[in-house]
Amino acid sequence: MRYADAVTSFTSYLDRVRRLSPATVRAYRSDLADLGAVVEDADLREIDLEMLRDWLWRATQRGDARSTLARRAAAARSFFGWAHESDLIAVDPSLRLVTPKRAKTLPVVASKEGMRELLDQHRAAAAEGDPITLRDHAMLEALYGSGMRVSELCGIDIDDVDMHRRTVRVLGKGAKERVVPFGAPAAEAIGAYLTRGRPALITRAENATPALFLGARGSRIGSRTVYALVARVLGPVVGADHVGPHALRHSAATHLLDGGADLRAVQEILGHASLGTTQIYTHVSAERLLAGYRLAHPRA
């Protein structure tokens, strides 16, 4: 099989069998297209370890970050592993492919005080009754109050929210459904939005939609709108120019653990498949503990 045909089959497998998100499938397709620029449309059986090493060497020469190299190598290993299991190749050339380890970086996390001030400001602004301001306040409270992903927030329908139990049903990665709790401030903000904000926005829609959060034209809100909102309001709080909704997820997880939440419980709330993914937030808490120690202890 030719390389291009194999990539098409592989990405179809990721989408239909493994049910990865469209964004993840696009990332695989992009990384494998980068490899295709080197191997061109060679027969899959002709691609060997040296060709893969040459591909990564070229990426290094053009200045790609270590994280990019590691991600692309992982994509290649997944692809050739699939090809070997599918009997398209006799030997997997990626087994001995070595890449630099990713640099360990801690996620951007807002302080509890910073989040309190930010959300208090938006609650005060929402009290004036503007539909967009009511919606924005509700989205910020929902993201921080539940730790959900931006894609999960955008996919929520009205029927997914249980205001009595203060829980919301979301569809996470791999089309896995889970129910996550949210607190009283988020419930108050969502209730105000449903009463005074959403009815005004839905009148602008061309067609009825069950979506909870609506854009300015009355249709289901898109992730770009949420990204723009978070970047605008959270950036000054954390002192970062490029910050997105995931920073609210990071902050929620860190504050839960700081408050004594069980690591397994946080894993369930966030929808992590692996506990190891959740454990990075214990590192964030430890870093804060050490920072406080160094600042305050006379023998630090």
Side-chain angles (χ1 to χ4, degrees), residues 93-106:
S94 70
L95 289 176
R96 293 170 55 202
L97 186 64
V98 178
T99 54
K101 291 184 177 180
R102 293 173 183 260
K104 290 185 178 180
T105 56
L106 295 176

Side-chain angles (χ1 to χ4, degrees), residues 278-292:
T278 315
Q279 284 178 326
I280 188 174
Y281 300 110
T282 63
H283 299 159
V284 175
S285 298
E287 285 292 321
R288 288 186 166 189
L289 183 66
L290 287 169

Side-chain angles (χ1 to χ4, degrees), residues 97-267:
L97 186 64
V98 178
T99 54
K101 291 184 177 180
R102 293 173 183 260
K104 290 185 178 180
T105 56
L106 295 176
V108 174
V109 174
S111 68
K112 294 178 184 178
E113 295 74 19
M115 286 304 308
R116 185 180 300 111
E117 290 179 8
L118 184 154
L119 294 171
D120 284 349
Q121 290 171 3
H122 279 78
R123 182 174 66 251
E128 298 181 7
D130 175 70
I132 296 295
T133 307
L134 284 162
R135 180 206 65 191
D136 290 352
H137 177 224
M139 290 195 303
L140 291 170
E141 288 281 10
L143 285 167
Y144 176 61
S146 69
M148 71 177 76
R149 302 176 178 93
V150 62
S151 59
E152 296 168 349
L153 177 91
C154 295
I156 297 173
D157 290 338
I158 291 179
D159 291 343
D160 294 329
V161 182
D162 187 330
M163 295 296 288
H164 177 68
R165 295 183 177 180
R166 295 211 302 249
T167 60
V168 58
R169 183 174 63 247
V170 298
L171 195 64
K173 288 186 175 181
K176 293 180 180 178
E177 189 178 276
R178 72 184 190 283
V179 175
V180 294
F182 54 84
E188 180 183 347
I190 293 170
Y193 164 69
L194 286 172
T195 303
R196 296 182 289 146
R198 191 180 184 280
L201 294 176
I202 197 67
T203 61
R204 309 174 189 178
E206 295 182 2
N207 301 299
T209 174
L212 173 62
F213 293 113
L214 306 178
R217 297 182 180 180
S219 57
R220 185 182 296 274
I221 199 164
S223 59
R224 287 187 179 181
T225 302
V226 185
Y227 267 91
L229 167 66
V230 175
R232 174 168 51 84
V233 303
L234 190 62
V237 175
V238 298
D241 294 331
H242 304 288
V243 62
H246 231 62
L248 291 176
R249 179 172 163 88
H250 295 324
S251 301
T254 303
H255 298 165
L256 278 167
L257 290 169
D258 283 345
D262 178 74
L263 190 62
R264 288 282 183 184
V266 176
Q267 178 191 5

